Amino acid sequence: MDSVNSHTVMIREIFSLFEEFSEAVKGWDLDFCQLSRADGAFFLEQIAGTEALISRAHLPSRFLQRGCAMPGYRTVSILTSRNYSASWRWSGETVTHNSLLVMPVGGEFESVSAPGLDSIHLTLSIEKLEHVSQTQFEVPLYKLMPDGRCFCSHGGANLAILRRLLERASTGQIDTGGRLLISPQLEDDLAYLVLACLTHNGAKKPLGPRGHRRKTLDHALRIIDQSPIEAPGAVHLAELVGVSRRTLENAFNDGLGVTPAVYMKARRLCELGHRLYQSDARSVRIADLALACGFHHLGQMAADYQCMFGELPSQTLRRGSR
């Protein structure tokens, strides 16, 4: 596993900004859009084995989540035992405590989460999964775990055991000589439990956007993604999608919990936060970065930025420079 130190706690930290969280995470390429102010801190823990990576994350804000995991690996995701109430929609499916999500091979994921999401993500090498599939289930891996997105709505007893093992590793209850350890045997057990969930309870292709509002939102997000920073206004966006402004507003409120205008502003604020955090305070001007992100009124931008992230743009710039 590239740049992963075997049998160690890679990271266990609390962050005040998602940008810090995203910078610290290993094995994931994240492109999240924060949609609300964080009600608390961001938490990240990652533990590596030889062919496995356990990641636990707490997100105190509403997010549109996008990203992908490492090539040559498959990732499954579940809610932690403490997370019963936070809303999480993944590829058109409503995630519950019994759900097992399987990320696609070499593809991206997209989901929407409410504040308070607490989740665990298990990344296993395809080689490990293929070995366990052949030796334990006597079938090739693709028969149990298709290459595309998979969704298991009820993992049953196997999912409960999988969650318990992952949480024990997360809290340090699996150790050798006081050191956290993901042993090869534990990696085999985790791989077996994942495949057992899919075998006994069925893996299905997620439904994806369905219903008029979901399809409207999906169409609008594709248009916005293809636009420069100066995304179309709500009226123009509704025309491009081919719906009324009210229909567009309803689609965004239903799918993301925010209006189109709030989403597009949040998108620009997140892009500004990323550029600030990645820049050197000695060589850039906040005004130039703000203009590049489509902000023309610096006073209002600073107020909106502080309302979203809890600090001024200048503080983020200094934080990143450190």
Side-chain angles (χ1 to χ4, degrees):
M1 188 177 291
D2 291 342
S3 68
V4 170
N5 217 3
S6 296
H7 304 163
T8 62
V9 177
M10 294 173 54
I11 186 171
R12 182 185 282 136
E13 290 190 38
I14 294 174
F15 305 96
S16 58
L17 288 180
F18 177 74
E19 199 60 48
E20 294 178 306
F21 175 107
S22 181
E23 182 79 8
V25 72
K26 303 294 184 184
W28 291 83
D29 182 12
L30 302 181
D31 181 22
F32 284 20
C33 181
Q34 185 173 332
L35 300 175
S36 66
R37 181 166 179 167
D39 183 20
F42 296 88
F43 173 74
L44 171 67
E45 178 181 71
Q46 291 191 297
I47 308 165
T50 304
E51 295 184 82
L53 174 66
I54 299 173
S55 305
R56 181 169 183 168
H58 175 77
L59 303 178
S61 306
R62 180 181 297 275
F63 275 95
L64 172 60
Q65 302 181 14
R66 289 168 170 162
C68 57
M70 295 179 292
Y73 291 79
R74 297 299 299 271
T75 296
V76 300
S77 301
I78 59 175
L79 293 172
T80 66
S81 58
R82 59 176 287 186
N83 197 163
Y84 285 96
S85 58
S87 172
W88 189 13
R89 288 192 63 84
W90 181 81
S91 298
E93 299 280 0
T94 298
V95 181
T96 71
H97 200 245
N98 293 313
S99 303
L100 177 73
L101 319 181
V102 183
M103 306 303 168
V105 172
E108 296 187 346
F109 65 86
E110 181 175 310
S111 62
V112 179
S113 61
L117 180 69
D118 195 4
S119 55
I120 294 184
H121 313 270
L122 171 63
T123 301
L124 292 161
S125 73
I126 293 176
E127 183 177 351
K128 169 67 71 177
L129 288 164
E130 287 177 338
H131 172 75
V132 172
S133 181
Q134 292 283 3
T135 58
Q136 300 295 319
F137 297 90
E138 299 181 342
V139 295
L141 178 62
Y142 73 87
K143 288 188 174 293
L144 302 180
M145 181 183 280
D147 287 346
R149 292 180 180 88
C150 303
F151 185 81
C152 179
S153 59
H154 197 283
N158 290 307
L159 181 62
I161 299 170
L162 175 65
R163 178 181 287 110
R164 187 160 62 246
L165 283 178
L166 292 174
E167 291 184 344
R168 284 180 60 200
S170 176
T171 57
Q173 294 180 40
I174 299 174
D175 63 81
T176 298
R179 181 178 60 177
L180 285 174
L181 174 63
I182 303 179
S183 67
Q185 181 59 56
L186 178 58
E187 291 177 340
D188 284 345
D189 293 343
L190 295 173
Y192 174 84
L193 289 166
V194 168
L195 297 179
C197 287
L198 301 178
T199 301
H200 299 152
N201 300 285
K204 64 178 182 178
K205 183 178 179 180
L207 295 171
R210 52 197 164 110
H212 183 56
R213 288 186 180 181
R214 293 288 174 181
K215 292 178 180 178
T216 296
L217 175 62
D218 190 57
H219 189 183
L221 291 177
R222 287 199 305 270
I223 291 173
I224 294 172
D225 288 342
Q226 294 164 5
S227 305
I229 290 298
E230 294 280 9
V235 174
H236 187 204
L237 181 60
E239 292 174 352
L240 293 173
V241 176
V243 298
S244 68
R245 181 171 180 176
R246 182 173 182 177
T247 298
L248 185 71
E249 297 267 352
N250 289 337
F252 270 80
N253 278 315
D254 182 58
L256 300 182
V258 297
T259 65
V262 169
Y263 169 72
M264 287 187 279
K265 183 196 290 185
R267 183 172 174 263
R268 290 186 290 126
L269 286 170
C270 289
E271 175 62 23
L272 176 59
H274 176 72
R275 295 190 185 197
L276 289 165
Y277 192 78
Q278 296 294 328
S279 297
D280 187 339
R282 297 166 298 180
S283 59
V284 302
R285 295 174 64 243
I286 292 176
D288 293 335
L289 294 177
L291 186 61
C293 292
F295 294 102
H296 301 282
H297 304 286
L298 295 184
Q300 185 61 54
M301 176 278 294
D304 290 339
Y305 190 95
Q306 186 173 32
C307 183
M308 175 68 82
F309 302 119
E311 66 181 34
L312 291 169
S314 57
Q315 293 173 289
T316 303
L317 181 60
R318 289 195 297 271
R319 184 194 298 270
S321 295
R322 288 198 301 269

